[in-house]
Amino acid sequence: MMTVALFLQSAVGGVLLGGIYGLLAMGLSLSWGLLKLVNLSHFALAFLGAYLTYQFGTVYGLPAYLSALLIAPLFFALGIALHSVFVRFKVKEFASLLVTFGVTILIESLIQWIWSADFLRYETPYAQTTLRLGPIFVPVLDLSAFVCAGVLAGAAWYALNKTMLGKALRAAAHDAPVASAFGINSTRVSYILAGLCSATAGIAGVFIALIGTLAPSQIEAWIGVVFAVAIIGGLGSPIGALGAGMLIGVAESLTMSVVNPAWAPLVAFSVLIVILLRKPVI
């Protein structure tokens, strides 16, 4: 039977899971909405960041926050390098889906070659630490991921709506020729956004390493639900991505608690289909 305590615990767990979904969907949403590039390699980059976090922690003894400080600028550079290929060969929206699928396979193979296909777990002293709020237990790592997602979503929203760089990005996404006529270098600002999107993937990877179990095959498992989150939240909307992540996370968590855990993967696509039927967003 569903008790009040179980309902609240499931809801809290779903909200925190939504933080990870939102963090992963944020870069995909911005890339797709503003750059018109469907970057499937975003998920592979996140897992590469997770494995690097595991490597830095288990081999070199670096705490996770130092790993994040190293990974974020590294992935910013990787994002710029990948985007330079798109610019050089004038890759369009549909073609980017195919190209980045190939990049995803390459990264997955690289991960498997270096770390093997075995399941790995990054054990930390605070992995099981929780905060107790009455009958509810809140895992500290999951809460940290949610807070990080909220901060990044808020910062991205502010940058897009209140800064000259953000306004230039939105103008270039809306009509690049007109933006260029007003002196906006669309290519230059697109490099910055591509780098930031990849950096968010790296940061998401840090939390994936801390919270979950790692295996190269899990890359595909995240693609479907995070795609749904990005579309439901609205392309180019970081706040929307976080909100949609919480919606899907809570729906999945309650489904696992009330109905059957096997039905949880169906939730994201069911919500996506309903929303697309009522109001197409792409």
Side-chain angles (χ1 to χ4, degrees), residues 59-123:
V59 177
Y60 303 108
L62 288 181
Y65 70 90
L66 285 181
S67 297
L69 292 177
L70 292 173
I71 288 170
L74 172 62
F75 277 53
F76 183 87
L78 283 175
I80 290 177
L82 181 60
H83 190 65
S84 68
V85 176
F86 294 146
V87 173
R88 171 65 179 80
F89 294 99
K90 299 179 180 179
V91 176
K92 301 300 181 183
E93 187 170 357
F94 178 72
S96 69
L97 184 67
L98 302 177
V99 171
T100 55
F101 176 76
V103 174
T104 299
I105 299 301
L106 290 175
I107 294 176
E108 183 179 346
S109 300
L110 176 66
I111 290 173
Q112 187 167 329
W113 178 54
I114 297 176
W115 288 282
S116 82
D118 296 335
F119 285 88
L120 300 176
R121 178 74 183 182
Y122 180 25
E123 298 291 348

Side-chain angles (χ1 to χ4, degrees), residues 45-223:
L45 287 173
F47 269 81
L48 179 59
Y51 273 93
L52 288 175
T53 301
Y54 172 86
Q55 185 77 9
F56 292 153
T58 57
V59 177
Y60 303 108
L62 288 181
Y65 70 90
L66 285 181
S67 297
L69 292 177
L70 292 173
I71 288 170
L74 172 62
F75 277 53
F76 183 87
L78 283 175
I80 290 177
L82 181 60
H83 190 65
S84 68
V85 176
F86 294 146
V87 173
R88 171 65 179 80
F89 294 99
K90 299 179 180 179
V91 176
K92 301 300 181 183
E93 187 170 357
F94 178 72
S96 69
L97 184 67
L98 302 177
V99 171
T100 55
F101 176 76
V103 174
T104 299
I105 299 301
L106 290 175
I107 294 176
E108 183 179 346
S109 300
L110 176 66
I111 290 173
Q112 187 167 329
W113 178 54
I114 297 176
W115 288 282
S116 82
D118 296 335
F119 285 88
L120 300 176
R121 178 74 183 182
Y122 180 25
E123 298 291 348
T124 60
Y126 39 84
Q128 304 301 323
T129 305
T130 59
L131 300 176
R132 183 168 184 175
L133 304 174
I136 309 303
F137 293 89
V138 181
V140 169
L141 288 177
D142 297 69
L143 180 60
S144 300
F146 181 81
V147 171
C148 180
V151 170
L152 289 179
W157 178 89
Y158 181 86
L160 287 174
N161 292 277
K162 303 296 182 181
T163 66
M164 293 301 296
L165 175 61
K167 292 175 182 179
L169 280 167
R170 291 191 292 118
H174 181 70
D175 195 325
V178 172
S180 298
F182 281 89
I184 295 174
N185 190 324
S186 301
T187 302
R188 182 177 299 174
V189 296
S190 71
Y191 275 109
I192 297 173
L193 181 59
L196 291 174
C197 290
S198 293
T200 64
I203 294 171
V206 173
F207 287 105
I208 290 173
L210 292 172
I211 294 170
T213 301
L214 301 179
S217 59
Q218 290 184 332
I219 295 174
E220 290 82 7
W222 286 82
I223 290 178

